Amino acid sequence: MAQMRNIGIMAHVDAGKTTVSERILFYTGKSRRIGDVDDGTTQMDWMEQEQQRGITIQSAATTCFWHNTQINLIDTPGHVDFTAEVERSLRVLDGAVAVFCAVGGVQPQSETVWRQANKYHVPRIAFINKLDRTGANYLHVLKQIEEKLHTKPLALQLPIYQQEELLGLIDLITMQYLQFDESSQGATVISSPIPSEHLEQAQEARDQMLDTLSTYSEELITLLLEEAEIPQDLILSELRRLTIARELTPVLMGSALKNKGVQPLLDAVTHFLPDPFELGDVPAKLVSKNKREEIAISRLSTKDFVALIFKIQQDKESGALCYARVYAGSIKSGTMVLNVGKEKKERIGKLYRMHARTPEQINELKAGDVGVIQGFKLAQTGDTITDGLNVVLESIDFPEPVISIAIEPKSLADLDKLKEVMTLLQREDPTFLLKENSETGQLLISGMGELHLDVLTTRARDDFKAQFNVGKPQVSYRESIEGSATLTETFDRPINGKESFAGLTLHVAPNERGAGNRITNELAKTLPDELQQAIIRGIEASLASGIVMGYACLDIHVTIQSVQYNEELAHEVAYQSLGAILTEKACTEANPILLEPVMAVIIEVPNDYVGEVISKLTTRGGIVMGVDMQDNIQLLDVQAPLTKMFGYSTELRSQSQGRASFSMKFSHYEKKTN
């Protein structure tokens, strides 16, 4: 029976992640030529904007085969503005390959994607890429992996150089010297005995590998103490066990651009990352009328079909393409399935296995598969679909947008088209939001950063032919309170022609910064559950709509202290309305404040320009939290208000003659001081 691996390739931007993916496609026979990022000929970065900008914007899925293993591979973006693509990919993957630049090491987005993989308990192997570059230092990268990512890296290879040229790799498990034939673009791997001049170094590296591995394996340490020969199968099985348990991270090496080291990486994927059926049951919740009960779904079950929709891609001809990961059972084209969250049934149209943008129609999706469903009209990212089983899988959490821009149609006739296109893009991207001001009619779109919004507006114009103008970037603020207040009020207006009455006392106070909103219910059994839930819905709605300026509220603690209740006059609408009205009034009396987003900024700058960069950052309200020295480069860890960071990329290029770079992501909200 063929094995299966569902893996993702993840990395910081420019670590060579897409180049690795392109070589995987070539060496597995999925493609006949090697795509090049610089030439814009990559298969996984198929969008026109990806090829023009030289970055991955959307995660792309493909299926290839290595020996007797089917590999479902997802290439994810490395730029922080597209972190949601990484998030939803990791949610459905069973393993991942983390790519690190041998010069840059563990860079900021490397840490972000590593934390995302931790969140979803994804086993990983590492690939140190770009060993051919000047300044490459694999030992430095290994040290950074251990210190910054808090995992135990285990090098399985030793790179061999002649002067600064990477000649090949020594495999420390088989103790063979691997070279990659240039005439076949690296497709032919030449395995030979280790050259005598490298034998001592290789033996030391192997001893170090086995010594580390033995700390996790009693069988291995016994053999080492007895000075017995170590079976290769034992090394592989122990590495597999420890990788899946996430106790250590096997590290492979090479240069994907120079076609070196990719086949051993593929071997490591099959050796060390899990088959979906090896993993435990899938946690889910059984949904009934008033509660959700924790259950587990067997991956081996053939009885029930359960899948998660993790991505939606709008196709101009086919409509919405829903990427789904199947966890149990199977499904065929034409079948009716239940969207559990929507409580609606939809018919599956066509089923596809994707190769980047090229669909391959198939008849059936089975447990473990990653495939695409055409024909759904209601589905959204995070929805669970089943063949009738009323369960929901853990959904996907996405960060909230922090930057907005106003858009307006070029003419009134373009308005409906503009709304339609933006709604389609919003369905595709959960971190892209469209909001219309009910009073002014202004359209506001929000996203994760300037690049994110630039990409989406370019797509709207070029791909969907929407005609519109774009305003200047705006910041997505939040509102909170600094004081506290307690208010009591009654509601005694007719509802649907019938008399109603409700009374409520609420207390509002600041919650700890960064803790989010909190609602404490002290009513116990003094009010029926449905009416208590109505009050909570009203409070939540009020907090979402803001206090003074209409921005969503943050870090507010609302306590429901007491109610007045008349069974004959009680109505859910009355209590919900009262919850909303009273929350707004109490917050208004509790010294409302405006919160602004503060960004975590990592700047890589050559030593010669550090002084000027820090000086200019200070004028933008930036605070340097730390400095990390790396050879001739300094990494500045900075916190700065988003409002002051617009246009920073141009300024930084000017200050450093184009040699400095930066990445920026949301950190937290703070009180706006001016």
Side-chain angles (χ1 to χ4, degrees), residues 613-626:
V613 168
I614 291 178
S615 175
K616 290 290 187 180
L617 270 171
T618 304
T619 66
R620 287 177 173 265
I623 300 173
V624 178
M625 310 298 290

Side-chain angles (χ1 to χ4, degrees), residues 105 151 165 167 183 224 242 276 487 493 529:
T151 185
E165 182 186 357
L167 296 180
S183 65
L224 286 173
L242 294 166
L487 288 185
R493 295 193 293 273
D529 284 346

